[in-house]
């Protein structure tokens, strides 16, 4: 199976010689095409820093990150900008939708920037909107949408360019339980039906239980890995809770 992401011995330091903090400490792992992988860890474990380095938002202090065959740690700023636009999809906790654009325009924006023909844009938006069940809100503005609808629009925007990798940072953090469950079911749809490769940071065991594999971080290092395999989501949730308990993180979420 094709490797989409290869993280090779990366480290991220903050501070100076007198006081150096290793936010990410010699981490290596791979993500294959079509995987749905979660990253979990307590606050300060380095999970968001790791995601930011993969997202090209931050730079590594040492090591390499390959997305496809591209070494993003050796790219110049202009190359990174184009790569980020064409190869990565982003889903944030606070949605990051443009208030002056309709849902349709928010989703279509990336394709418009890439100068995609209008008829192709319309067909792509309609297809993704139908997949995520948001056809009825395409003409509405963000202030007219619920939190769950906004996040599904954000998902559509992330997948519209058919990126190599979708990066999600606490995507259910601003949602109520019903909207969170609906979003996670949409993630499963993106993963199963559209073969989307997803890497998601979350502190929430319920959210993580939708993943196929979980990487746990502690003090900047990989601490453990869980693979769902043939386990039911409830069984996988229980296994996640067991690891989270050892890590000392938040295990108060209810299945």
């Amino acid at each position: 199976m094709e490797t989409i992401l290869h993280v090779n011995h990366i480290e991220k330091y903050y501070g100076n010689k007198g006081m150096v903090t290793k936010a990410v400490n010699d981490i290596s792992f791979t993500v294959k095409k079509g995987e749905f992988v979660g990253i979990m860890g307590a606050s300060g474990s380095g999970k968001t820093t790791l995601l930011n380095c993969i997202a090209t938002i931050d730079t590594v202090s040492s090591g390499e990150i390959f997305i496809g065959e591209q070494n993003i740690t050796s790219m110049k700023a202009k190359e990174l900008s184009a790569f980020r636009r064409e190869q990565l999809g982003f889903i944030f906790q606070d949605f990051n939708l443009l208030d002056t654009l309709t849902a349709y325009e928010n989703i279509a924006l990336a394709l418009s920037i890439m100068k995609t023909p209008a008829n192709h844009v319309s067909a792509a938006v309609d297809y993704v909107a139908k997949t995520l069940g948001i056809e009825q809100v395409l003409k509405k503005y963000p202030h007219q949408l619920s939190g769950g609808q906004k996040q599904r629009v954000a998902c559509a925007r992330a997948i519209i360019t058919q990126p190599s990798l979708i990066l999600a940072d606490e995507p259910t953090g601003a949602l109520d339980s019903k909207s969170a469950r609906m979003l996670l079911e949409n993630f499963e749809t993106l993963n199963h039906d559209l073969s989307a490769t997803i890497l998601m940071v979350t502190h929430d065991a319920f959210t993580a239980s939708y993943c196929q594999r979980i990487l746990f971080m502690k003090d900047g290092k990989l601490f453990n890995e869980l693979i769902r395999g043939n386990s039911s989501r409830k069984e996988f949730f229980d296994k996640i809770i067991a690891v989270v308990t050892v890590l000392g993180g938040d295990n108060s979420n209810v299945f």
Side-chain angles (χ1 to χ4, degrees), residues 125-142:
V125 173
D126 288 346
Y127 176 71
V128 174
K130 184 176 181 180
T131 300
L132 295 174
I134 51 173
E135 311 102 298
Q136 74 281 6
V137 305
L138 289 178
K139 295 182 180 179
K140 294 184 178 181
Y141 289 88

Side-chain angles (χ1 to χ4, degrees), residues 94-115:
D94 56 359
F95 319 128
N96 282 9
L97 299 177
L98 297 176
D99 292 336
T100 57
L101 300 182
T102 64
Y104 180 98
E105 292 166 339
N106 267 283
I107 297 167
L109 183 60
L111 291 179
S112 300
I113 291 172
M114 294 168 66
K115 299 182 179 178

Side-chain angles (χ1 to χ4, degrees), residues 127 131-132 185-196:
Y127 176 71
T131 300
L132 295 174
E185 290 171 355
N186 287 151
F187 272 27
E188 286 189 321
T189 298
L190 294 176
N191 180 240
H192 294 156
D193 296 353
L194 302 183
S195 299

Side-chain angles (χ1 to χ4, degrees), residues 4-5 35-37 51-57 67 72 80-93 95-96 106-107 110-111 114 128 151-171 187 190 195-201:
I4 293 296
L5 173 66
E35 277 198 289
F36 184 2
V37 178
L51 189 74
N52 286 344
C53 289
I54 296 169
T56 74
I57 294 169
I67 297 179
I72 64 171
L80 273 177
S81 179
F83 182 86
R84 190 184 301 120
R85 182 174 63 247
E86 296 169 6
Q87 298 297 327
L88 299 179
F90 299 93
I91 301 172
F92 302 97
Q93 179 176 333
F95 319 128
N96 282 9
N106 267 283
I107 297 167
L111 291 179
M114 294 168 66
V128 174
Q151 196 59 294
R152 281 183 283 159
V153 170
C155 285
R157 179 188 57 189
I159 197 69
I160 194 70
T161 59
Q162 297 182 325
S164 298
L165 180 65
I166 295 175
L167 302 169
D169 186 9
E170 299 285 3
F187 272 27
L190 294 176
S195 299
T197 306
I198 304 172
L199 183 66
M200 176 178 69
V201 162

Side-chain angles (χ1 to χ4, degrees), residues 7-253:
V7 175
N8 186 30
H9 296 289
I10 69 166
E11 298 190 338
K12 178 64 181 180
Y13 311 145
Y14 292 105
N16 51 40
K17 292 182 179 179
M19 181 66 72
V20 175
T21 300
K22 280 190 176 183
V24 174
N25 189 357
D26 192 24
I27 284 183
S28 298
F29 65 95
T30 60
V31 175
K32 301 293 185 181
K33 181 176 176 59
E35 277 198 289
F36 184 2
V37 178
I39 301 175
M40 295 192 74
S43 178
S45 63
K47 61 185 186 295
T48 297
T49 300
L50 173 61
L51 189 74
N52 286 344
C53 289
I54 296 169
T56 74
I57 294 169
D58 207 346
T59 57
V60 300
S61 301
S62 64
E64 297 175 312
I65 300 172
F66 291 85
I67 297 179
E69 297 181 356
Q70 299 284 337
N71 183 352
I72 64 171
T73 51
S74 65
M75 287 183 177
K76 305 295 184 183
K78 189 174 181 180
E79 292 176 300
L80 273 177
S81 179
F83 182 86
R84 190 184 301 120
R85 182 174 63 247
E86 296 169 6
Q87 298 297 327
L88 299 179
F90 299 93
I91 301 172
F92 302 97
Q93 179 176 333
D94 56 359
F95 319 128
N96 282 9
L97 299 177
L98 297 176
D99 292 336
T100 57
L101 300 182
T102 64
Y104 180 98
E105 292 166 339
N106 267 283
I107 297 167
L109 183 60
L111 291 179
S112 300
I113 291 172
M114 294 168 66
K115 299 182 179 178
T116 304
N119 60 325
H120 292 175
V121 172
S122 179
V125 173
D126 288 346
Y127 176 71
V128 174
K130 184 176 181 180
T131 300
L132 295 174
I134 51 173
E135 311 102 298
Q136 74 281 6
V137 305
L138 289 178
K139 295 182 180 179
K140 294 184 178 181
Y141 289 88
H143 73 272
Q144 298 173 307
L145 304 177
S146 68
Q149 289 170 333
K150 289 179 184 178
Q151 196 59 294
R152 281 183 283 159
V153 170
C155 285
R157 179 188 57 189
I159 197 69
I160 194 70
T161 59
Q162 297 182 325
S164 298
L165 180 65
I166 295 175
L167 302 169
D169 186 9
E170 299 285 3
T172 61
L175 302 179
D176 59 47
S177 59
K178 181 180 178 180
S179 296
R181 186 185 294 269
M182 185 176 296
L183 175 68
L184 292 166
E185 290 171 355
N186 287 151
F187 272 27
E188 286 189 321
T189 298
L190 294 176
N191 180 240
H192 294 156
D193 296 353
L194 302 183
S195 299
T197 306
I198 304 172
L199 183 66
M200 176 178 69
V201 162
T202 182
H203 72 281
D204 178 64
F206 173 77
T207 299
S209 69
Y210 280 80
C211 298
Q212 299 166 352
R213 179 162 63 105
I214 307 291
L215 303 174
F216 294 89
M217 290 186 66
K218 183 177 183 179
D219 300 329
K221 295 184 177 183
L222 289 183
F223 173 78
N224 198 1
E225 178 182 28
L226 280 182
I227 298 173
R228 179 172 173 177
N230 294 323
S231 299
S232 68
R233 193 160 56 78
K234 176 63 169 68
E235 291 168 340
F236 195 42
F237 173 84
D238 291 338
K239 292 176 182 178
I240 293 168
I241 287 292
V243 177
V244 169
T245 301
V246 173
L247 284 171
D250 178 11
N251 64 348
S252 60
N253 305 290

